[in-house]
Amino acid sequence: MDDFSIDKVVDTRGSLCPGPIMALIEAVKLADINTVIEFFFEDEQSVKDASLWINKVGNQLLVNETVDGYFRIVVKKVK
Amino acid sequence: MVTKIVIVGGGSAGTITANLLARNLYKNITSGKVIINLITDSPDHIYQPGYLYVVFDKARPEEITRKQKDLLDPHINLFIDPAVNIDRDNRVVVTKSGREFDYDYLVVATGSRIVPEDVPGLQEGSYWFYDMQSAIRLREALMNFNGGKIMISMGIPHKCPVAPLELTFMLYDFFKQKDMLNKVQLHYTYPINSVHVLEPVSNWAVREFERKGIKYDTFFNMEEIDPVKNVISSMEGDKFGYDMLITIPPHKGAQVIEDSGMGKNGWVPTDKKRLFNANYENVYVIGDTTDIPISKAGSTAHFQADVVAERLTSIISEGNTSIEYDGKVVCFLESGFDEATYIWFNYNTPPNPSPPSRMLHWMKLGYNRLYWLTARGIL
Ligand SMILES: Cc1cc2nc3c(=O)[nH]c(=O)nc-3n(C[C@H](O)[C@H](O)[C@H](O)COP(=O)(O)OP(=O)(O)OC[C@H]3O[C@@H](n4cnc5c(N)ncnc54)[C@H](O)[C@@H]3O)c2cc1C
């Protein structure tokens, strides 16, 4: 069981353009501080890019896992 | 019984839909069985891709502007009176003047708008080209630019994902023509860790940037502009000085969408294939205002308008439809003043840009004129 509750879900699967990372940045940017957002990605490269950006900006990556062949990450906006 | 169709928004998506419906349902309209009301907020219809050409003095404002009423089939009722509330439960649209338009089917096509006020310092410190006034202002600034560093930066989301690259390549050719390349440094930044959302386009653009000596940085999301010191800072902690800053401000959907509780930031939850609003199958949503993860582009608006017009025609005349949107988007991308490339993609097929050529550039210029036929539902 996760010890946090998800405030928003963004499913980027099937998104070609504007693309998964654009969707992630937009969602995090528009969220209030302390919001917890769950993202679903189709490809591993997006997860790598997402983690890179989250660390660069200084937000928290709470979960990074593979579920049934796709990828789930959970981010907490702290900055 | 009369079937009433209300279309809100007289831009690309709304105008094409209205004209196609008027043609498809001509007999029903002339016999009084169908009424089409188009509600919009301006008497003028502007071909927005033309702004890019206004910036470089390659189009005059009047060339890219037509009267909305001249573009519409005479069987469509036009109301220039902005919608202020859309009540989906009671099936009524209320306009600024207080008029109420009830409907059986609604098409929401209110587009997107720039919100420079969302980035501190942007309004004071930056030029942009996403409306007529700002395109003219940028044109004048470029004419008087004596050299230095030009930063190009963009907010998310923004419509027309190819416009930032087009602007950059056209700036390069503009200064080349003026023999000023030795005095000007172009510096392009992009929000994600490539220079364009579509990987094949990004790979191509990077090669062009390197060949042309255009500096670029990725993972750059503008956070603040200091218009006095001429410094732009990003969420990622980077800071760059500039002599001229050109941005694409972040976008939101129309205010009426949020005011009517139809979607946060003006983006309306939309079924990506059938194009109706969640829980309201009689409310279609097309063009920039959908929340579908796809380019906000004129071609998207056009293909979605085709689908919605066909769906509504079939539903009204036959009671059912199987027509769906496959995610098709087509874009010509100027790679300078003389050449362009071309991409198309859909939900299942990634894009593969063709090599830039003069012919594709002429096709883009040709389409800039042919757009008026598209808007009329002819092409
Ligand atoms: C500089 C630039 C370059 C571009 N280049 C390209 C390109 O090369 N290729 C491409 O495919 N696309 C391009 N685009 C994007 C394209 O113009 C848009 O994606 C397209 O116009 C979207 O169509 P739409 O009908 O959804 O929105 P719009 O065409 O913007 O129309 C929305 C309409 O709704 C009206 N409206 C808003 N609120 C209300 C209200 N409350 N009541 C009534 N009416 C309302 C607005 O006034 C407007 O008329 C470009 C855009 C810009 C700015």
Side-chain angles (χ1 to χ4, degrees), chain B residues 8-15 39-42 44-52 68 81-84 109-112 129-131 159-160 162-163 166 251 254-256 286-289 295-302 329-333 364 368 371:
Chain B
V8 185
S12 301
T15 304
I39 300 169
T40 193
D41 63 357
S42 165
D44 292 326
H45 184 116
I46 300 178
Y47 174 60
Q48 297 172 32
Y51 293 142
L52 200 58
Q68 179 68 24
D81 188 5
V84 292
T110 41
S112 57
F129 55 101
Y130 266 46
D131 55 46
K159 64 181 152 190
C160 192
V162 298
E166 292 190 291
H251 284 53
Q255 190 65 46
V256 65
I286 48 172
D288 290 352
T289 196
S295 305
K296 295 192 185 302
S299 72
T300 315
H302 176 179
V329 181
V330 172
C331 282
F332 288 101
L333 195 166
K364 175 142 188 166
N368 290 346
Y371 170 74

Side-chain angles (χ1 to χ4, degrees), chain B residues 103-144:
Chain B
Y103 62 80
D104 299 290
Y105 297 100
L106 176 69
V107 180
V108 180
T110 41
S112 57
R113 65 197 162 102
I114 52 168
V115 283
E117 60 276 20
D118 280 10
V119 182
L122 194 68
Q123 276 172 308
E124 303 80 12
S126 172
Y127 292 91
W128 56 83
F129 55 101
Y130 266 46
D131 55 46
M132 192 69 88
Q133 212 187 344
S134 63
I136 292 170
R137 185 171 161 256
L138 174 57
R139 180 182 69 186
E140 281 165 13
L142 286 173
M143 280 177 191
N144 298 319

Side-chain angles (χ1 to χ4, degrees), chain A residues 16-18 22 25 30 49 53, chain B residues 156 193 197 236 293-295 346:
Chain A
L16 261 179
C17 178
M22 207 70 116
I25 297 176
L30 294 175
D49 295 346
W53 184 76
Chain B
I156 48 176
N193 60 337
V197 285
E236 293 79 7
I294 197 168
S295 305
N346 65 22

